Amino acid sequence: MKESTNLVERLGYAKTQKLLIIHADDFGLAQSENAATITTLETGSVNSASIMVPCAWFPESAAHAKARPNADIGIHLTLTSEWKHYRWRPILAAHEVPSLVDEQGFMHDSVANLIRYATVEDIEKELRAQIERGIQFGITPSHLDSHMFSLVAKPQFLTVYLMLSREYKLPLLLNQDFIRRTVGYDIHPYITSQDVLVDHLYSAEPNDYEAGMLAFYKQTLQNLSPGLSEIILHPAYNNSEMQAITTEHPYWAADWRQYDFDFFTSAECAEIIQKEQIQLITWREIREKLF
């Protein structure tokens, strides 16, 4: 019998099933982000998250993950530090990864600057250190993903991302349509049949914010296609901490993150998921079945 190449069938579901990961990025960024993320995981519809190891509130997020080894919590591999006044440095000393830091010793403030200055060798060293630090703090990671999608910004970065996934036997977030649309290359020459590709990836963009976040998320759920999908959100409270962190940053700021929290902890969100017969799935389930 020929082995199925359909990912949904490989996971043990009917090929017409709508599988969905609802994923909270940036766990560990701030206390506001941590508190909101934990609430969405425990009482909302969010069923997955990933932790930023270089950030100041990493220890709290790691303690949460350590106490819940079966939770779907991964490592949010981080190479950029994008906020104006709240910055972070690599896990490794600057002299060990000099291409990953700016003149002040912080990670680069944009993916563009990361592309301009970073070497593959330094990226590999730093990302390996982040994964090992997460494990040292008691995290049993279920997956890997990439802050600001920096690890798919160019094929040379992607090769490191894939290498670490295979070495640690962890699935990672990859979607061909997103990569082709944003950076314009085909990932298929770099992957194997064992790598997991998400069929559909959804993450609010500035135009969605301007048009209304509630409408974006409702339409996404109501129009979900069969296959494996992931919705990325960034839950946090619109409080003084997040307002200070995101100052002079019009998008992905404190109010945006509050909208994310509000919808994915709402009864309306849970009702739509049930009505649309969406099956929630986690990266941990994918890892256990396919890795």
Side-chain angles (χ1 to χ4, degrees):
M1 182 176 178
K2 185 178 179 181
E3 182 181 358
S4 171
T5 57
N6 181 288
L7 175 60
V8 175
E9 292 177 302
R10 287 169 58 200
L11 290 167
Y13 297 92
K15 64 181 179 181
T16 56
Q17 181 68 59
K18 294 181 283 188
L19 301 180
L20 177 62
I21 300 166
I22 304 179
H23 190 277
D25 276 15
D26 292 2
F27 199 11
L29 172 71
Q31 206 287 319
S32 171
E33 194 89 26
N34 286 357
T37 298
I38 291 168
T39 299
T40 63
L41 286 167
E42 295 187 342
T43 65
S45 296
V46 173
N47 66 341
S48 183
S50 56
I51 292 176
M52 300 179 73
V53 177
C55 292
W57 280 88
F58 159 70
E60 182 186 56
S61 60
H64 176 87
K66 181 180 180 179
R68 296 159 181 82
N70 294 319
D72 195 48
I73 298 176
I75 304 294
H76 197 49
L77 297 169
T78 301
L79 294 171
T80 51
S81 175
E82 68 272 26
W83 307 111
K84 181 177 181 180
H85 298 306
Y86 174 53
R87 309 293 306 282
W88 48 83
R89 305 174 190 273
I91 294 299
L92 297 176
H95 72 270
E96 295 182 75
V97 285
S99 71
L100 302 187
V101 298
D102 62 17
E103 59 187 12
Q104 296 177 319
F106 296 113
M107 286 184 168
H108 297 297
D109 62 359
S110 67
V111 175
N113 280 334
L114 182 73
I115 292 171
R116 181 179 180 183
Y117 295 111
T119 67
V120 170
E121 293 76 18
D122 285 355
I123 287 175
E124 179 184 344
K125 286 191 291 185
E126 172 61 21
L127 296 185
R128 193 180 301 279
Q130 290 183 22
I131 296 169
E132 291 296 333
R133 176 67 62 85
I135 294 170
Q136 176 192 5
F137 271 71
I139 301 170
T140 306
S142 60
H143 65 289
L144 303 173
D145 54 25
S146 174
H147 185 53
M148 298 176 68
F149 299 104
S150 61
L151 289 174
V152 299
K154 56 190 291 190
Q156 293 90 334
F157 296 176
L158 174 65
T159 58
V160 177
Y161 193 27
L162 288 166
M163 178 191 66
L164 293 171
S165 165
R166 294 162 186 163
E167 178 179 333
Y168 286 93
K169 294 181 172 57
L170 294 171
L172 48 74
L173 175 60
L174 281 178
N175 174 258
Q176 173 62 83
D177 291 341
F178 174 84
I179 294 172
R180 185 180 289 115
R181 175 171 58 85
T182 56
V183 291
Y185 68 89
D186 182 4
I187 63 174
H188 287 92
Y190 305 95
I191 62 174
T192 73
S193 60
Q194 300 307 307
D195 296 311
V196 172
L197 291 183
V198 170
D199 296 306
H200 315 288
L201 181 62
Y202 304 95
S203 183
E205 299 290 341
N207 60 308
D208 302 309
Y209 169 80
E210 298 291 351
M213 297 285 276
L214 177 62
F216 170 75
Y217 288 128
K218 287 175 63 175
Q219 290 168 11
T220 298
L221 290 174
Q222 290 166 343
N223 296 314
L224 203 68
S225 297
L228 176 62
S229 300
E230 177 167 313
I231 296 175
I232 296 172
L233 62 143
H234 304 81
Y237 297 116
N238 186 5
N239 59 16
S240 58
E241 180 194 30
M242 283 308 301
Q243 290 166 12
I245 287 171
T246 62
T247 186
E248 298 182 29
H249 204 292
Y251 301 118
W252 292 278
D255 62 335
W256 177 310
R257 292 166 189 255
Q258 182 73 58
Y259 290 136
D260 283 357
F261 174 85
D262 290 345
F263 180 74
F264 286 98
T265 55
S266 70
E268 182 176 22
C269 175
E271 289 165 3
I272 295 172
I273 291 170
Q274 183 177 20
K275 181 180 178 181
E276 297 297 327
Q277 298 182 315
I278 295 168
Q279 174 67 49
L280 297 184
I281 188 172
T282 64
W283 282 111
R284 191 167 296 283
E285 179 180 344
I286 293 169
R287 183 190 184 194
E288 290 171 352
K289 289 182 174 179
L290 302 182
F291 282 74

